[in-house]
Amino acid sequence: MSRYIFLSLLFFIAFSCKEPINHAKPKPPVRGLITEHAMVVSAREEASKIGSDILKKGGNAFDAMVATELALAVAYPYAGNLGGGGFMVYRTNQGDIGAIDYREKAPLAATKNMFLDSLGNVIPDKSTLGAMAVGVPGTVAGVLTVHEKFGTLPIDSILKPVIDLAYKGVIVTNKQEKRIKKYQPLFIKANKDSIPFDKAWKTNDTIKYPKLAKTLERIAIHGKDGFYKGETAETLVNFIQDNGGIITKEDLEKYEAKWRAPIVFTYDDLKIISMSPPASGGVCLAQIMKMIEPFDLHKYGHNTLKTIQVLTEAERRAYADRSFYLGDPDFVDIPIPTLIDTNYLEERMRDFSFAKATKSSEISHGSIEIVESDETTHYSIIDQFGNAISATTTLNGAYGSKLYCTELGFFLNNEMDDFSSKPGAPNMFGLIGAEANSIAPEKRMLSSMTPTIIEKNGSLYMSVGTPGGSTIITSVLQTILNVHEFNMTMQDAVNAPRFHHQWLPDEIRMEPNLFDKKLIKALNDLGYIINEERSPVIGKVDGILVLEDKTLEGGADRRGDDTAVGF
Ligand code: DON
């Protein structure tokens, strides 16, 4: 036995003994809502119900998408929006796949250094609070473009229940009461006049949105022009400019949602279809899953030392690549085939060892020759015809820029913060960016959103996604693995405690008090820094799983007011 083998054996024995044993009795599985035909899972029951009712009326998943997305703008102003943007991945019942990008864009007057002072330092709050933080909104263009291509019901009949909801009002939940209270000081800071959310709303109060209803009526009548031109556009541009912003009528008129080819890859017997740039979700998810595929996670077990190590090390390497290579594909060349190539990823993991943590300072982006040539919301829908969509939409931070256009009845995003204001300077999610994600007029800022659809043996298997800023990708990852590797139900997979690593800062974030102290100690001993403070909640995943008997199981995250509705 060579000295090397002997030492490796010693290491192996030492570290396999450190694996904490879970003596707790396994809990019986918890199943989410089961339905036979169709389902919508979203952040609010009102939105899921409106979407499900559209399906009941004979609409398809795309009709239901329009209804659900706009209903979230009414019922979930924290992230649901008319003033933001998003991404959607679909799979039709014929097996056709595709994706749409309705991400916000930098205004025409944007400049690379617009968030820096004369010394080149990032100006605090400028990219997050108030009118300069706002990107040109994409949501209305997104849903209407989807409807144009795939919709079957007339747009006014889809919008009718949404408009009714806005007039009738939405009941404040306990979680919403707390959120509104928490952000009120920032509402006051961002807005010149008082806004409806300044009031001391209490649980079970009803908030009515008559102005938003009027804005939605203009969309129902005039389609895209009801938002990007005419009265709404005029009011919006005046409002933004009056608050010191730079968005013009031309910005709104020029906005278009874009069809994109999704990122497709395999993991064991799964075919995973996820969002392509300018969302980093699909590429990062592919990188992480390809890096971990050779390891026997099923054997290691859920949230055990070895599983956490493998996931953490793959995440570290993928996020390092993300920060260097990814940006808006209309502006930068992204070497996607290489980034998700099995050989490249094997090479990236070559220096990983179970014996100790890799230091992020020792990891950079992989070297690839380029050949010239943090509040969001997710919903999943499967219809009675077998079409599936997975959509994530956002204002970026909670209530976006906090700037609320009272006349139109909605918040405006602060998506400009998703650009890299300065190379190496972290954004609000601690993400570091480089030239690929620098600001330019009409460029889309890099996103972490990861709406994902999965096939198994050629059939629809899952629709899944989540909010959570930089933790979106790793939350989607863990949910998929929980079902596939650890045999959990969809609901248990969504409920399970989550952790996250993003290269920098070099720490594993964990949901507090949900991980065994001995496990944390074992990770510390291997050189991993654990942070249980930064993220009280990691992700808020919603998903639908197609069970063997073809019924649908919803997974609605217990972390929010999320609800599955179907029939
Ligand atoms: O596009 C992104 O990656 C971010 N704007 C998402 C923000 C988010 O998920 C906030 N939610 N907690």
Side-chain angles (χ1 to χ4, degrees), residues 270-533:
L270 305 180
K271 177 172 153 190
I272 302 189
I273 305 148
S274 192
M275 193 62 218
S276 44
S280 61
V283 170
C284 282
L285 188 65
Q287 286 201 304
I288 297 169
M289 293 193 86
K290 284 301 197 193
M291 280 190 263
I292 65 178
E293 198 176 22
F295 296 87
D296 195 349
L297 297 185
H298 178 74
K299 198 171 110 208
Y300 303 159
H302 176 247
N303 280 353
T304 56
L305 181 63
K306 280 181 128 177
T307 295
I308 293 178
Q309 276 189 274
V310 172
L311 262 61
T312 297
E313 295 299 346
E315 288 167 7
R316 187 196 307 281
R317 287 157 177 81
Y319 276 80
D321 276 358
R322 177 196 192 278
S323 79
F324 186 78
Y325 287 111
L326 301 190
D328 182 346
D330 297 340
F331 284 71
V332 289
D333 288 325
I334 308 173
I336 294 177
T338 312
L339 283 170
I340 64 173
D341 176 74
T342 312
N343 294 331
Y344 168 74
L345 294 166
E346 241 178 60
E347 197 48 47
R348 286 291 273 154
M349 277 298 264
R350 201 169 291 284
D351 57 352
F352 161 64
S353 149
F354 280 111
K356 72 172 177 50
T358 310
K359 293 257 165 291
S360 284
S361 54
E362 290 160 11
I363 293 274
S364 173
H365 56 87
S367 85
I368 295 174
E369 203 184 325
I370 300 185
V371 186
E372 275 310 319
S373 42
D374 349 187
E375 273 68 19
T376 302
T377 189
H378 175 84
Y379 57 96
S380 283
I381 303 177
I382 297 183
D383 70 19
Q384 62 279 28
F385 312 110
N387 302 300
I389 71 121
S390 175
T392 314
T393 179
T394 190
L395 289 165
N396 194 24
Y399 304 102
S401 62
K402 322 298 185 261
L403 195 60
Y404 185 83
C405 182
T406 301
E407 242 181 290
L408 298 174
F410 59 85
F411 279 104
L412 288 155
N413 70 80
N414 58 353
E415 220 72 61
M416 290 298 285
D417 188 65
D418 271 350
F419 277 118
S420 170
S421 295
K422 180 183 173 179
N427 74 356
M428 77 161 97
F429 301 110
L431 289 167
I432 311 275
E435 190 52 36
N437 190 31
S438 62
I439 306 173
E442 296 203 82
K443 190 172 171 184
R444 285 154 146 93
M445 52 298 276
L446 184 62
S447 168
S448 298
M449 288 189 262
T450 316
T452 299
I453 289 179
I454 303 178
E455 276 179 20
K456 190 171 178 169
N457 304 322
S459 298
L460 177 64
Y461 184 55
M462 191 191 289
S463 166
V464 66
T466 182
S470 56
T471 68
I472 289 175
I473 302 161
T474 55
S475 299
V476 169
L477 166 77
Q478 289 169 83
T479 309
I480 299 170
L481 295 176
N482 288 349
V483 173
H484 177 74
E485 296 281 5
F486 308 122
N487 303 324
M488 290 187 201
T489 65
M490 191 71 218
Q491 189 60 55
D492 277 340
V494 164
N495 286 351
R498 291 192 276 264
F499 64 93
H500 168 79
H501 197 291
Q502 60 177 47
W503 178 47
L504 295 172
D506 190 351
E507 62 187 19
I508 302 177
R509 281 192 232 164
M510 285 179 168
E511 289 184 305
N513 308 318
L514 295 176
F515 288 79
D516 191 271
K517 294 292 166 234
K518 283 195 208 122
L519 172 72
I520 293 177
K521 165 88 173 55
L523 284 162
N524 288 151
D525 289 348
L526 290 170
Y528 293 96
I529 296 161
I530 307 299
N531 184 340
E532 285 186 282
E533 255 128 62

